[in-house]
Structure formats: structure tokens, C-alpha cells
Amino acid sequence: MAMAFKMATTGMWVTDECKNSFMEMKWKKVHRYIVFKIDEKSRLVTVDKVGGAGESYDDLAASLPTDDCRYAVFDFDFVTVDNCRKSKIFFIAWSPTASRIRAKILYATSKDGLRRVLDGIHYEVQATDPTEMGFDVIKDRAK
């Protein structure tokens, strides 16, 4: 298995699949969202789920576990007041209150390393429950 980048702060590795999936989402628009997870045993950040171009933000929210942390990126398409089509990529750090303390610490300390690998993120949202990352939050941040 080829490794792309090592995150020096936590000793985690980001797989090539993470970077490649992100680039496909960013440039080819084949994915609407990507969910990443950390495998604690292998110390790898891997792709957990990929949402197709036809999926929505609600599909992303439904795919996040209620008792474990995850990272996600979401490609938000919208039309500006000037009638221009735009796209902004959101990075979501999902850390629900029901998740283990060890997982919360691991995800918090690994977040910046993954963000450096995923070049082109416009906004970041940190959420501990679904109301903190609702679609209205995403729309408000993008405008």
C-alpha cells in the first residue's frame, strides 16, 4: 500500500486514496462528499465513504456515526446574488459527544495534518451534534 504523507504531529499516515478521492471531488466533480476515518491500529487516515455527485448534504449527515469521530469534506455548489455559479469545499470535523475521549483527542490532534494534505479547502466546521453542522450553517458560511 502506497502512503502519501505522514502527519508529523501524531505519527498518522494519510493514504493516497484520501488525496486521490479529494482531487477527483475537487477537479472532476465525481463526488459530492468524502468521509475519512482513522484506523488506530494501522495509524492510517483512510476513506470511509464516498458520496456520488447526485447525493446531498443530508446524505453526508446521515452517513456520520453517532458514537465515533470522523472527518468529512463536502463540495457545496450555490448561486451568488450576481447569478454566478460557485463551489466551496467545506472540511467538517465530526466529534459527537457520545464518542470515546481517546478518539476525540486523536482526531483533534490529527486534523491539521489532514487539512494540509487536502489542498483547496475553503471553510472548516467543527461539530459535536447535527445542529452545529446543519445545512443552514453551511449556506451562511459560504456567502
Side-chain angles (χ1 to χ4, degrees), residues 79-134:
V79 178
T80 65
V81 188
D82 303 329
N83 208 23
C84 296
R85 293 188 57 77
K86 295 224 174 191
S87 177
K88 298 289 182 185
I89 297 176
F90 281 80
F91 180 88
I92 300 167
W94 173 247
S95 182
T97 49
S99 59
R100 297 176 301 124
I101 297 293
R102 178 179 171 86
K104 289 180 185 181
I105 293 170
L106 183 62
Y107 276 78
T109 57
S110 303
K111 179 181 70 169
D112 288 336
L114 179 62
R115 279 210 53 187
R116 277 193 295 276
V117 171
L118 305 178
D119 186 39
I121 292 173
H122 299 102
Y123 300 104
E124 179 177 327
V125 175
Q126 295 184 24
T128 58
D129 68 69
T131 60
E132 294 176 356
M133 57 171 268

Side-chain angles (χ1 to χ4, degrees), residues 30-59:
V30 294
H31 310 306
R32 174 65 59 203
Y33 65 86
I34 306 167
V35 178
F36 303 99
K37 71 175 180 178
I38 297 176
D39 183 351
E40 292 182 37
K41 290 183 180 144
S42 64
R43 317 237 349 127
L44 292 173
V45 178
T46 59
V47 173
D48 186 33
K49 183 174 188 328
V50 176
E55 294 194 43
S56 69
Y57 187 75
D58 291 332
D59 296 323

Side-chain angles (χ1 to χ4, degrees), residues 61-81:
S63 71
L64 297 173
T66 58
D67 62 348
D68 200 7
C69 302
R70 292 289 188 272
Y71 302 119
V73 286
F74 178 72
D75 189 4
F76 178 60
D77 295 324
F78 63 100
V79 178
T80 65
V81 188

